[in-house]
mmCIF file of all heavy atoms in Angstrom:
data_model
loop_
_atom_site.group_PDB
_atom_site.id
_atom_site.type_symbol
_atom_site.label_atom_id
_atom_site.label_comp_id
_atom_site.label_asym_id
_atom_site.label_seq_id
_atom_site.Cartn_x
_atom_site.Cartn_y
_atom_site.Cartn_z
ATOM 1 N N MET A 22 -10.277 32.329 7.717
ATOM 2 C CA MET A 22 -9.695 30.936 7.408
ATOM 3 C C MET A 22 -10.126 29.903 8.487
ATOM 4 O O MET A 22 -10.016 30.257 9.659
ATOM 5 C CB MET A 22 -8.222 30.973 7.333
ATOM 6 C CG MET A 22 -7.470 29.820 6.745
ATOM 7 S SD MET A 22 -5.774 30.076 6.441
ATOM 8 C CE MET A 22 -5.071 28.730 7.268
ATOM 9 N N LYS A 23 -10.634 28.760 8.066
ATOM 10 C CA LYS A 23 -11.080 27.793 9.057
ATOM 11 C C LYS A 23 -9.860 27.176 9.738
ATOM 12 O O LYS A 23 -8.928 26.846 9.170
ATOM 13 C CB LYS A 23 -11.870 26.700 8.228
ATOM 14 C CG LYS A 23 -12.761 25.917 9.100
ATOM 15 C CD LYS A 23 -13.649 25.019 8.297
ATOM 16 C CE LYS A 23 -12.897 23.649 8.163
ATOM 17 N NZ LYS A 23 -13.721 22.639 7.456
ATOM 18 N N GLU A 24 -10.063 27.080 11.055
ATOM 19 C CA GLU A 24 -9.078 26.542 11.813
ATOM 20 C C GLU A 24 -9.129 24.981 11.899
ATOM 21 O O GLU A 24 -10.209 24.423 12.103
ATOM 22 C CB GLU A 24 -9.066 26.990 13.274
ATOM 23 C CG GLU A 24 -7.851 26.699 14.158
ATOM 24 C CD GLU A 24 -7.888 27.368 15.425
ATOM 25 O OE1 GLU A 24 -8.710 28.285 15.653
ATOM 26 O OE2 GLU A 24 -7.138 26.976 16.290
ATOM 27 N N THR A 25 -8.009 24.363 11.643
ATOM 28 C CA THR A 25 -7.979 22.900 11.673
ATOM 29 C C THR A 25 -7.028 22.356 12.615
ATOM 30 O O THR A 25 -6.146 23.302 13.173
ATOM 31 C CB THR A 25 -7.710 22.324 10.350
ATOM 32 O OG1 THR A 25 -6.376 22.582 9.879
ATOM 33 C CG2 THR A 25 -8.698 22.754 9.261
ATOM 34 N N LYS A 26 -6.944 21.120 12.885
ATOM 35 C CA LYS A 26 -5.934 20.558 13.719
ATOM 36 C C LYS A 26 -4.707 19.999 12.873
ATOM 37 O O LYS A 26 -3.911 19.171 13.293
ATOM 38 C CB LYS A 26 -6.429 19.402 14.618
ATOM 39 C CG LYS A 26 -7.429 20.001 15.597
ATOM 40 C CD LYS A 26 -7.636 18.865 16.771
ATOM 41 C CE LYS A 26 -8.268 19.515 17.975
ATOM 42 N NZ LYS A 26 -8.374 18.615 19.042
ATOM 43 N N SER A 27 -4.545 20.465 11.695
ATOM 44 C CA SER A 27 -3.547 20.026 10.767
ATOM 45 C C SER A 27 -2.148 20.312 11.332
ATOM 46 O O SER A 27 -1.912 21.286 11.968
ATOM 47 C CB SER A 27 -3.691 20.723 9.463
ATOM 48 O OG SER A 27 -4.924 20.603 8.911
ATOM 49 N N LYS A 28 -1.397 19.246 11.140
ATOM 50 C CA LYS A 28 0.014 19.376 11.590
ATOM 51 C C LYS A 28 0.988 18.991 10.442
ATOM 52 O O LYS A 28 0.488 18.408 9.483
ATOM 53 C CB LYS A 28 0.305 18.498 12.804
ATOM 54 C CG LYS A 28 -0.480 18.925 14.036
ATOM 55 C CD LYS A 28 -0.302 17.899 15.124
ATOM 56 C CE LYS A 28 -1.053 18.320 16.356
ATOM 57 N NZ LYS A 28 -1.016 17.370 17.432
ATOM 58 N N PHE A 29 2.206 19.253 10.654
ATOM 59 C CA PHE A 29 3.118 18.706 9.757
ATOM 60 C C PHE A 29 3.767 17.342 10.255
ATOM 61 O O PHE A 29 3.834 17.110 11.412
ATOM 62 C CB PHE A 29 4.433 19.662 9.566
ATOM 63 C CG PHE A 29 3.909 20.951 8.796
ATOM 64 C CD1 PHE A 29 3.556 22.034 9.496
ATOM 65 C CD2 PHE A 29 3.784 20.964 7.410
ATOM 66 C CE1 PHE A 29 3.133 23.132 8.903
ATOM 67 C CE2 PHE A 29 3.421 21.980 6.750
ATOM 68 C CZ PHE A 29 3.133 23.135 7.445
ATOM 69 N N ILE A 30 3.923 16.436 9.371
ATOM 70 C CA ILE A 30 4.268 15.019 9.701
ATOM 71 C C ILE A 30 5.548 14.699 9.038
ATOM 72 O O ILE A 30 5.708 14.877 7.789
ATOM 73 C CB ILE A 30 3.189 14.073 9.389
ATOM 74 C CG1 ILE A 30 1.929 14.415 10.125
ATOM 75 C CG2 ILE A 30 3.682 12.622 9.778
ATOM 76 C CD1 ILE A 30 0.616 13.596 9.715
ATOM 77 N N LYS A 31 6.530 14.257 9.793
ATOM 78 C CA LYS A 31 7.789 13.754 9.144
ATOM 79 C C LYS A 31 7.564 12.338 8.711
ATOM 80 O O LYS A 31 7.255 11.423 9.617
ATOM 81 C CB LYS A 31 8.946 13.989 10.007
ATOM 82 C CG LYS A 31 10.281 13.659 9.339
ATOM 83 C CD LYS A 31 11.410 13.603 10.326
ATOM 84 C CE LYS A 31 11.937 15.046 10.684
ATOM 85 N NZ LYS A 31 13.181 14.929 11.481
ATOM 86 N N VAL A 32 7.716 11.967 7.532
ATOM 87 C CA VAL A 32 7.446 10.659 6.996
ATOM 88 C C VAL A 32 8.719 10.085 6.321
ATOM 89 O O VAL A 32 9.394 10.824 5.742
ATOM 90 C CB VAL A 32 6.358 10.659 5.899
ATOM 91 C CG1 VAL A 32 6.074 9.267 5.319
ATOM 92 C CG2 VAL A 32 5.091 11.302 6.526
ATOM 93 N N ARG A 33 8.915 8.748 6.475
ATOM 94 C CA ARG A 33 10.041 8.228 5.733
ATOM 95 C C ARG A 33 9.372 7.230 4.683
ATOM 96 O O ARG A 33 8.615 6.378 4.983
ATOM 97 C CB ARG A 33 10.838 7.265 6.789
ATOM 98 C CG ARG A 33 12.021 6.645 6.135
ATOM 99 C CD ARG A 33 12.648 5.506 6.921
ATOM 100 N NE ARG A 33 13.413 6.133 8.026
ATOM 101 C CZ ARG A 33 13.544 5.693 9.246
ATOM 102 N NH1 ARG A 33 12.857 4.567 9.558
ATOM 103 N NH2 ARG A 33 14.225 6.268 10.178
ATOM 104 N N CYS A 34 9.990 7.491 3.525
ATOM 105 C CA CYS A 34 9.476 6.681 2.412
ATOM 106 C C CYS A 34 9.795 5.154 2.586
ATOM 107 O O CYS A 34 10.959 4.939 2.996
ATOM 108 C CB CYS A 34 10.165 7.270 1.073
ATOM 109 S SG CYS A 34 9.844 6.297 -0.345
ATOM 110 N N ALA A 35 8.905 4.365 2.367
ATOM 111 C CA ALA A 35 9.073 2.975 2.502
ATOM 112 C C ALA A 35 10.091 2.310 1.488
ATOM 113 O O ALA A 35 10.721 1.347 1.801
ATOM 114 C CB ALA A 35 7.799 2.190 2.422
ATOM 115 N N ASP A 36 10.201 3.026 0.390
ATOM 116 C CA ASP A 36 10.984 2.479 -0.730
ATOM 117 C C ASP A 36 12.510 2.934 -0.599
ATOM 118 O O ASP A 36 13.420 2.191 -0.670
ATOM 119 C CB ASP A 36 10.422 2.891 -2.027
ATOM 120 C CG ASP A 36 9.229 1.994 -2.410
ATOM 121 O OD1 ASP A 36 8.851 1.155 -1.540
ATOM 122 O OD2 ASP A 36 8.754 2.062 -3.532
ATOM 123 N N CYS A 37 12.735 4.283 -0.531
ATOM 124 C CA CYS A 37 14.011 4.820 -0.623
ATOM 125 C C CYS A 37 14.541 5.415 0.707
ATOM 126 O O CYS A 37 15.686 5.803 0.670
ATOM 127 C CB CYS A 37 14.138 5.777 -1.732
ATOM 128 S SG CYS A 37 13.348 7.338 -1.338
ATOM 129 N N LYS A 38 13.717 5.329 1.778
ATOM 130 C CA LYS A 38 14.033 5.797 3.086
ATOM 131 C C LYS A 38 14.305 7.306 3.143
ATOM 132 O O LYS A 38 14.861 7.922 4.180
ATOM 133 C CB LYS A 38 15.431 5.165 3.641
ATOM 134 C CG LYS A 38 15.346 3.624 3.481
ATOM 135 C CD LYS A 38 14.231 3.074 4.226
ATOM 136 C CE LYS A 38 14.256 1.496 4.052
ATOM 137 N NZ LYS A 38 12.946 0.842 4.414
ATOM 138 N N ASN A 39 13.921 8.070 2.134
ATOM 139 C CA ASN A 39 13.978 9.491 2.115
ATOM 140 C C ASN A 39 12.972 9.974 3.173
ATOM 141 O O ASN A 39 11.881 9.533 3.386
ATOM 142 C CB ASN A 39 13.557 10.085 0.824
ATOM 143 C CG ASN A 39 13.445 11.531 0.660
ATOM 144 O OD1 ASN A 39 14.367 12.298 1.153
ATOM 145 N ND2 ASN A 39 12.378 12.113 0.284
ATOM 146 N N GLU A 40 13.493 10.965 4.038
ATOM 147 C CA GLU A 40 12.681 11.603 4.993
ATOM 148 C C GLU A 40 12.019 12.935 4.492
ATOM 149 O O GLU A 40 12.916 13.787 3.999
ATOM 150 C CB GLU A 40 13.358 11.855 6.278
ATOM 151 C CG GLU A 40 13.791 10.356 6.945
ATOM 152 C CD GLU A 40 14.473 10.575 8.265
ATOM 153 O OE1 GLU A 40 14.686 11.656 8.707
ATOM 154 O OE2 GLU A 40 15.017 9.580 8.736
ATOM 155 N N GLN A 41 10.856 13.142 4.658
ATOM 156 C CA GLN A 41 10.208 14.268 3.997
ATOM 157 C C GLN A 41 9.112 14.808 4.921
ATOM 158 O O GLN A 41 8.448 14.076 5.558
ATOM 159 C CB GLN A 41 9.606 13.926 2.721
ATOM 160 C CG GLN A 41 9.194 15.002 1.750
ATOM 161 C CD GLN A 41 8.921 14.485 0.368
ATOM 162 O OE1 GLN A 41 9.602 13.510 -0.172
ATOM 163 N NE2 GLN A 41 7.881 14.910 -0.231
ATOM 164 N N ILE A 42 8.976 16.145 5.021
ATOM 165 C CA ILE A 42 7.772 16.741 5.809
ATOM 166 C C ILE A 42 6.559 16.858 4.873
ATOM 167 O O ILE A 42 6.620 17.503 3.829
ATOM 168 C CB ILE A 42 8.314 18.083 6.334
ATOM 169 C CG1 ILE A 42 9.549 18.062 7.112
ATOM 170 C CG2 ILE A 42 7.089 18.672 7.230
ATOM 171 C CD1 ILE A 42 9.496 17.308 8.406
ATOM 172 N N VAL A 43 5.496 16.347 5.388
ATOM 173 C CA VAL A 43 4.247 16.500 4.590
ATOM 174 C C VAL A 43 3.175 17.111 5.523
ATOM 175 O O VAL A 43 3.214 16.963 6.746
ATOM 176 C CB VAL A 43 3.665 15.126 4.009
ATOM 177 C CG1 VAL A 43 4.649 14.601 3.063
ATOM 178 C CG2 VAL A 43 3.282 14.232 5.152
ATOM 179 N N PHE A 44 2.264 17.849 5.012
ATOM 180 C CA PHE A 44 1.257 18.411 5.779
ATOM 181 C C PHE A 44 0.289 17.383 6.219
ATOM 182 O O PHE A 44 0.030 16.339 5.599
ATOM 183 C CB PHE A 44 0.399 19.430 4.778
ATOM 184 C CG PHE A 44 -0.428 20.399 5.559
ATOM 185 C CD1 PHE A 44 0.116 21.115 6.688
ATOM 186 C CD2 PHE A 44 -1.652 20.746 4.992
ATOM 187 C CE1 PHE A 44 -0.697 22.057 7.371
ATOM 188 C CE2 PHE A 44 -2.442 21.588 5.816
ATOM 189 C CZ PHE A 44 -2.012 22.300 6.885
ATOM 190 N N GLY A 45 -0.295 17.525 7.415
ATOM 191 C CA GLY A 45 -1.215 16.489 8.061
ATOM 192 C C GLY A 45 -2.565 16.503 7.526
ATOM 193 O O GLY A 45 -3.316 15.588 7.745
ATOM 194 N N ASN A 46 -2.754 17.329 6.578
ATOM 195 C CA ASN A 46 -4.134 17.303 5.907
ATOM 196 C C ASN A 46 -4.008 17.828 4.543
ATOM 197 O O ASN A 46 -4.340 19.024 4.068
ATOM 198 C CB ASN A 46 -5.061 18.380 6.725
ATOM 199 C CG ASN A 46 -6.486 18.310 6.140
ATOM 200 O OD1 ASN A 46 -6.811 17.486 5.348
ATOM 201 N ND2 ASN A 46 -7.351 19.250 6.687
ATOM 202 N N VAL A 47 -3.424 17.024 3.675
ATOM 203 C CA VAL A 47 -3.103 17.310 2.299
ATOM 204 C C VAL A 47 -4.405 17.404 1.458
ATOM 205 O O VAL A 47 -5.396 16.712 1.729
ATOM 206 C CB VAL A 47 -2.095 16.386 1.629
ATOM 207 C CG1 VAL A 47 -0.789 16.407 2.310
ATOM 208 C CG2 VAL A 47 -2.728 14.928 1.643
ATOM 209 N N SER A 48 -4.395 18.266 0.478
ATOM 210 C CA SER A 48 -5.571 18.345 -0.403
ATOM 211 C C SER A 48 -5.243 17.687 -1.723
ATOM 212 O O SER A 48 -6.158 17.315 -2.514
ATOM 213 C CB SER A 48 -5.998 19.708 -0.615
ATOM 214 O OG SER A 48 -4.875 20.586 -1.124
ATOM 215 N N THR A 49 -3.973 17.397 -1.976
ATOM 216 C CA THR A 49 -3.580 16.691 -3.195
ATOM 217 C C THR A 49 -2.500 15.704 -2.803
ATOM 218 O O THR A 49 -1.838 15.858 -1.733
ATOM 219 C CB THR A 49 -3.023 17.599 -4.267
ATOM 220 O OG1 THR A 49 -1.993 18.336 -3.731
ATOM 221 C CG2 THR A 49 -3.965 18.628 -4.784
ATOM 222 N N SER A 50 -2.322 14.610 -3.515
ATOM 223 C CA SER A 50 -1.345 13.605 -3.171
ATOM 224 C C SER A 50 0.043 14.228 -3.165
ATOM 225 O O SER A 50 0.403 15.053 -3.920
ATOM 226 C CB SER A 50 -1.350 12.466 -4.201
ATOM 227 O OG SER A 50 -2.581 11.819 -4.205
ATOM 228 N N VAL A 51 0.759 13.819 -2.167
ATOM 229 C CA VAL A 51 2.211 14.087 -1.966
ATOM 230 C C VAL A 51 3.091 12.948 -2.377
ATOM 231 O O VAL A 51 2.887 11.855 -1.800
ATOM 232 C CB VAL A 51 2.549 14.652 -0.559
ATOM 233 C CG1 VAL A 51 4.021 14.894 -0.418
ATOM 234 C CG2 VAL A 51 1.699 15.840 -0.277
ATOM 235 N N THR A 52 3.949 13.192 -3.213
ATOM 236 C CA THR A 52 4.859 12.033 -3.678
ATOM 237 C C THR A 52 6.311 12.295 -3.108
ATOM 238 O O THR A 52 6.644 13.415 -2.850
ATOM 239 C CB THR A 52 4.921 11.910 -5.083
ATOM 240 O OG1 THR A 52 5.262 13.211 -5.710
ATOM 241 C CG2 THR A 52 3.685 11.574 -5.783
ATOM 242 N N CYS A 53 7.028 11.219 -2.928
ATOM 243 C CA CYS A 53 8.412 11.275 -2.543
ATOM 244 C C CYS A 53 9.256 12.053 -3.527
ATOM 245 O O CYS A 53 9.128 11.824 -4.784
ATOM 246 C CB CYS A 53 8.994 9.855 -2.472
ATOM 247 S SG CYS A 53 10.762 9.781 -2.030
ATOM 248 N N LEU A 54 10.063 12.926 -3.145
ATOM 249 C CA LEU A 54 10.906 13.763 -4.005
ATOM 250 C C LEU A 54 12.036 12.925 -4.651
ATOM 251 O O LEU A 54 12.464 13.390 -5.679
ATOM 252 C CB LEU A 54 11.607 14.946 -3.208
ATOM 253 C CG LEU A 54 10.533 16.022 -2.600
ATOM 254 C CD1 LEU A 54 11.264 17.019 -1.833
ATOM 255 C CD2 LEU A 54 9.771 16.682 -3.776
ATOM 256 N N VAL A 55 12.311 11.864 -4.046
ATOM 257 C CA VAL A 55 13.489 11.089 -4.611
ATOM 258 C C VAL A 55 12.882 9.915 -5.588
ATOM 259 O O VAL A 55 13.347 9.865 -6.802
ATOM 260 C CB VAL A 55 14.247 10.364 -3.427
ATOM 261 C CG1 VAL A 55 15.252 9.431 -4.021
ATOM 262 C CG2 VAL A 55 14.816 11.462 -2.564
ATOM 263 N N CYS A 56 11.957 9.234 -5.109
ATOM 264 C CA CYS A 56 11.505 8.035 -6.088
ATOM 265 C C CYS A 56 10.105 8.107 -6.562
ATOM 266 O O CYS A 56 9.675 7.210 -7.251
ATOM 267 C CB CYS A 56 11.672 6.775 -5.231
ATOM 268 S SG CYS A 56 10.527 6.590 -3.900
ATOM 269 N N LYS A 57 9.415 9.233 -6.243
ATOM 270 C CA LYS A 57 8.019 9.553 -6.608
ATOM 271 C C LYS A 57 7.032 8.582 -6.080
ATOM 272 O O LYS A 57 5.812 8.566 -6.600
ATOM 273 C CB LYS A 57 8.033 9.461 -8.241
ATOM 274 C CG LYS A 57 9.044 10.248 -8.858
ATOM 275 C CD LYS A 57 8.884 11.727 -8.669
ATOM 276 C CE LYS A 57 9.937 12.478 -9.548
ATOM 277 N NZ LYS A 57 10.419 13.717 -8.855
ATOM 278 N N LYS A 58 7.344 7.774 -5.123
ATOM 279 C CA LYS A 58 6.310 6.990 -4.476
ATOM 280 C C LYS A 58 5.275 7.883 -3.781
ATOM 281 O O LYS A 58 5.718 8.938 -3.165
ATOM 282 C CB LYS A 58 6.967 6.079 -3.546
ATOM 283 C CG LYS A 58 5.958 5.118 -2.785
ATOM 284 C CD LYS A 58 6.628 4.221 -1.811
ATOM 285 C CE LYS A 58 5.738 3.399 -0.976
ATOM 286 N NZ LYS A 58 5.061 2.314 -1.729
ATOM 287 N N GLU A 59 4.007 7.569 -3.776
ATOM 288 C CA GLU A 59 3.098 8.351 -2.984
ATOM 289 C C GLU A 59 3.361 8.240 -1.615
ATOM 290 O O GLU A 59 3.307 7.140 -1.046
ATOM 291 C CB GLU A 59 1.716 7.943 -3.449
ATOM 292 C CG GLU A 59 0.609 8.924 -2.854
ATOM 293 C CD GLU A 59 -0.802 8.523 -3.346
ATOM 294 O OE1 GLU A 59 -1.272 7.502 -2.905
ATOM 295 O OE2 GLU A 59 -1.313 9.401 -4.132
ATOM 296 N N LEU A 60 3.425 9.338 -0.920
ATOM 297 C CA LEU A 60 3.628 9.381 0.621
ATOM 298 C C LEU A 60 2.345 9.755 1.365
ATOM 299 O O LEU A 60 2.196 9.210 2.457
ATOM 300 C CB LEU A 60 4.720 10.332 1.021
ATOM 301 C CG LEU A 60 6.146 10.041 0.591
ATOM 302 C CD1 LEU A 60 7.103 11.084 0.995
ATOM 303 C CD2 LEU A 60 6.635 8.700 0.971
ATOM 304 N N ALA A 61 1.606 10.562 0.773
ATOM 305 C CA ALA A 61 0.385 11.016 1.416
ATOM 306 C C ALA A 61 -0.679 11.158 0.451
ATOM 307 O O ALA A 61 -0.469 11.750 -0.626
ATOM 308 C CB ALA A 61 0.544 12.143 2.294
ATOM 309 N N SER A 62 -1.882 10.821 0.746
ATOM 310 C CA SER A 62 -3.001 11.059 -0.064
ATOM 311 C C SER A 62 -4.242 11.646 0.656
ATOM 312 O O SER A 62 -4.307 11.426 1.846
ATOM 313 C CB SER A 62 -3.462 9.746 -0.801
ATOM 314 O OG SER A 62 -3.759 8.748 0.106
ATOM 315 N N PRO A 63 -4.979 12.493 0.030
ATOM 316 C CA PRO A 63 -6.163 13.154 0.770
ATOM 317 C C PRO A 63 -7.218 12.130 0.943
ATOM 318 O O PRO A 63 -7.582 11.324 0.113
ATOM 319 C CB PRO A 63 -6.550 14.264 -0.232
ATOM 320 C CG PRO A 63 -6.021 13.750 -1.566
ATOM 321 C CD PRO A 63 -4.890 12.907 -1.328
ATOM 322 N N THR A 64 -7.869 12.306 2.157
ATOM 323 C CA THR A 64 -9.016 11.424 2.469
ATOM 324 C C THR A 64 -10.193 12.253 2.775
ATOM 325 O O THR A 64 -11.232 11.698 3.288
ATOM 326 C CB THR A 64 -8.646 10.498 3.637
ATOM 327 O OG1 THR A 64 -8.395 11.203 4.782
ATOM 328 C CG2 THR A 64 -7.585 9.532 3.300
ATOM 329 N N GLY A 65 -10.092 13.494 2.653
ATOM 330 C CA GLY A 65 -11.246 14.360 3.084
ATOM 331 C C GLY A 65 -11.055 14.984 4.452
ATOM 332 O O GLY A 65 -11.390 16.078 4.680
ATOM 333 N N GLY A 66 -10.260 14.198 5.290
ATOM 334 C CA GLY A 66 -9.933 14.801 6.554
ATOM 335 C C GLY A 66 -8.452 14.665 6.724
ATOM 336 O O GLY A 66 -7.742 15.495 6.084
ATOM 337 N N LYS A 67 -8.026 13.792 7.552
ATOM 338 C CA LYS A 67 -6.586 13.513 7.664
ATOM 339 C C LYS A 67 -5.939 12.998 6.373
ATOM 340 O O LYS A 67 -6.574 12.246 5.740
ATOM 341 C CB LYS A 67 -6.335 12.715 8.857
ATOM 342 C CG LYS A 67 -6.587 13.365 10.205
ATOM 343 C CD LYS A 67 -6.663 12.445 11.351
ATOM 344 C CE LYS A 67 -5.361 11.611 11.460
ATOM 345 N NZ LYS A 67 -5.486 10.683 12.570
ATOM 346 N N SER A 68 -4.690 13.266 6.280
ATOM 347 C CA SER A 68 -3.976 12.699 5.230
ATOM 348 C C SER A 68 -3.764 11.150 5.495
ATOM 349 O O SER A 68 -3.531 10.816 6.600
ATOM 350 C CB SER A 68 -2.580 13.205 5.087
ATOM 351 O OG SER A 68 -2.586 14.564 5.001
ATOM 352 N N LYS A 69 -3.840 10.312 4.446
ATOM 353 C CA LYS A 69 -3.498 8.957 4.524
ATOM 354 C C LYS A 69 -2.024 8.835 4.247
ATOM 355 O O LYS A 69 -1.524 9.188 3.150
ATOM 356 C CB LYS A 69 -4.246 8.093 3.534
ATOM 357 C CG LYS A 69 -4.069 6.657 3.670
ATOM 358 C CD LYS A 69 -5.127 5.862 2.763
ATOM 359 C CE LYS A 69 -4.871 4.414 2.868
ATOM 360 N NZ LYS A 69 -3.671 4.002 1.992
ATOM 361 N N ILE A 70 -1.213 8.448 5.285
ATOM 362 C CA ILE A 70 0.196 8.318 5.171
ATOM 363 C C ILE A 70 0.602 6.986 4.688
ATOM 364 O O ILE A 70 0.311 5.965 5.283
ATOM 365 C CB ILE A 70 0.920 8.784 6.444
ATOM 366 C CG1 ILE A 70 0.441 10.167 6.932
ATOM 367 C CG2 ILE A 70 2.408 8.609 6.304
ATOM 368 C CD1 ILE A 70 0.799 11.239 6.132
ATOM 369 N N ALA A 71 1.327 6.928 3.614
ATOM 370 C CA ALA A 71 1.817 5.585 2.999
ATOM 371 C C ALA A 71 3.082 5.087 3.584
ATOM 372 O O ALA A 71 3.332 3.880 3.670
ATOM 373 C CB ALA A 71 1.852 5.766 1.508
ATOM 374 N N GLY A 72 3.975 6.010 4.045
ATOM 375 C CA GLY A 72 5.296 5.657 4.540
ATOM 376 C C GLY A 72 5.193 5.459 6.069
ATOM 377 O O GLY A 72 4.160 5.260 6.671
ATOM 378 N N THR A 73 6.369 5.584 6.694
ATOM 379 C CA THR A 73 6.437 5.464 8.171
ATOM 380 C C THR A 73 6.429 6.918 8.752
ATOM 381 O O THR A 73 7.228 7.718 8.448
ATOM 382 C CB THR A 73 7.806 4.810 8.578
ATOM 383 O OG1 THR A 73 7.904 3.671 7.854
ATOM 384 C CG2 THR A 73 7.845 4.686 10.045
ATOM 385 N N VAL A 74 5.545 7.132 9.647
ATOM 386 C CA VAL A 74 5.466 8.366 10.422
ATOM 387 C C VAL A 74 6.545 8.380 11.497
ATOM 388 O O VAL A 74 6.536 7.567 12.369
ATOM 389 C CB VAL A 74 4.065 8.624 11.023
ATOM 390 C CG1 VAL A 74 4.044 9.902 11.895
ATOM 391 C CG2 VAL A 74 2.969 8.632 10.031
ATOM 392 N N LEU A 75 7.445 9.310 11.331
ATOM 393 C CA LEU A 75 8.653 9.468 12.297
ATOM 394 C C LEU A 75 8.294 10.404 13.361
ATOM 395 O O LEU A 75 8.715 10.325 14.551
ATOM 396 C CB LEU A 75 9.825 9.934 11.582
ATOM 397 C CG LEU A 75 10.423 9.024 10.444
ATOM 398 C CD1 LEU A 75 11.474 9.717 9.722
ATOM 399 C CD2 LEU A 75 10.803 7.632 11.078
ATOM 400 N N GLU A 76 7.519 11.498 13.072
ATOM 401 C CA GLU A 76 7.424 12.556 13.939
ATOM 402 C C GLU A 76 6.225 13.419 13.553
ATOM 403 O O GLU A 76 5.976 13.625 12.385
ATOM 404 C CB GLU A 76 8.698 13.393 14.035
ATOM 405 C CG GLU A 76 8.863 14.259 15.251
ATOM 406 C CD GLU A 76 10.237 14.970 15.166
ATOM 407 O OE1 GLU A 76 11.125 14.609 14.422
ATOM 408 O OE2 GLU A 76 10.381 15.941 15.885
ATOM 409 N N VAL A 77 5.483 13.873 14.490
ATOM 410 C CA VAL A 77 4.377 14.768 14.246
ATOM 411 C C VAL A 77 4.860 16.190 14.757
ATOM 412 O O VAL A 77 5.140 16.347 15.966
ATOM 413 C CB VAL A 77 2.985 14.435 14.875
ATOM 414 C CG1 VAL A 77 1.972 15.450 14.566
ATOM 415 C CG2 VAL A 77 2.690 13.038 14.353
ATOM 416 N N LEU A 78 4.873 17.175 13.910
ATOM 417 C CA LEU A 78 5.400 18.420 14.290
ATOM 418 C C LEU A 78 4.227 19.497 14.471
ATOM 419 O O LEU A 78 3.395 19.408 13.646
ATOM 420 C CB LEU A 78 6.326 19.021 13.182
ATOM 421 C CG LEU A 78 7.543 18.063 12.701
ATOM 422 C CD1 LEU A 78 8.032 18.499 11.459
ATOM 423 C CD2 LEU A 78 8.543 17.919 13.811
ATOM 424 N N GLU A 79 4.373 20.216 15.575
ATOM 425 C CA GLU A 79 3.201 21.255 15.774
ATOM 426 C C GLU A 79 3.300 22.387 14.819
ATOM 427 O O GLU A 79 4.352 22.740 14.346
ATOM 428 C CB GLU A 79 3.480 21.773 17.158
ATOM 429 C CG GLU A 79 3.316 20.709 18.285
ATOM 430 C CD GLU A 79 1.929 20.016 18.391
ATOM 431 O OE1 GLU A 79 0.979 20.724 17.945
ATOM 432 O OE2 GLU A 79 1.846 18.949 18.785
HETATM 433 ZN ZN1 ZN B 20 11.083 7.517 -1.980
#
């Protein structure tokens, strides 16, 4: 398995303030579990985070 610098990121949804953990390198879009807003989208490398990054978890 290829080693990456991927981390988990705690994101707050801009719309409903739900806090959710997303992978730092998503391969598919991640949506908010509450309001379905897109929180992270794949860019080939790092995830593009749409909400507010609260914390980066190792
Ligand atoms: Zn939301």
Side-chain angles (χ1 to χ4, degrees):
M22 193 171 129
K23 200 172 91 176
E24 192 173 346
T25 68
K26 290 197 164 184
S27 301
K28 294 176 178 176
F29 290 96
I30 300 170
K31 188 189 278 185
V32 179
R33 181 191 287 142
C34 176
D36 282 4
C37 73
K38 312 303 182 196
N39 175 48
E40 292 178 9
Q41 195 169 319
I42 307 290
V43 301
F44 198 44
N46 186 6
V47 294
S48 54
T49 57
S50 294
V51 176
T52 53
C53 176
L54 293 174
V55 177
C56 72
K57 311 296 189 212
K58 181 184 173 69
E59 187 175 70
L60 292 181
S62 55
T64 59
K67 287 165 59 180
S68 308
K69 182 170 179 287
I70 303 297
T73 305
V74 176
L75 297 174
E76 198 175 344
V77 177
L78 309 165
E79 297 297 333

